[in-house]
Amino acid sequence: MIQARCPICDAAVVAEHKPFCSKRCKTIDLGSWLDGAYTIPAVEPPSPEELSPEELEVLFGKAEA
Ligand SMILES: [Zn+2]
């Protein structure tokens, strides 16, 4: 099987949180939609590489490893 990747942070997807790796990324995705970050549905969400450092900080905050 091909390991799916989280569209938010590119980590391995966890079945419980499909298609994301965690509830946090799911929330981030929803928040991005609500925030108008995605203007066109059904397109690839922005990868972390496409986000500014400021956006990443807002989205991810401090790493909770
Ligand atoms: Zn993720």
Side-chain angles (χ1 to χ4, degrees), residues 5-12 19-22 24-26 28 60:
R5 292 283 180 170
C6 173
I8 302 299
C9 70
D10 203 40
F20 305 101
C21 71
S22 65
R24 186 169 64 154
C25 280
K26 197 172 186 176
I28 289 170
F60 295 101

Side-chain angles (χ1 to χ4, degrees), residues 2-58:
I2 299 173
Q3 176 61 61
R5 292 283 180 170
C6 173
I8 302 299
C9 70
D10 203 40
V13 165
V14 175
E16 183 183 350
H17 300 295
K18 260 161 98 173
F20 305 101
C21 71
S22 65
K23 185 178 180 181
R24 186 169 64 154
C25 280
K26 197 172 186 176
T27 302
I28 289 170
D29 184 71
L30 179 62
S32 296
W33 278 100
L34 294 177
D35 200 36
Y38 300 164
T39 54
I40 305 174
V43 296
E44 290 186 21
S47 66
E49 293 77 28
E50 294 173 310
L51 297 174
S52 69
E54 290 79 14
E55 287 175 312
L56 287 173
E57 192 172 339
V58 169

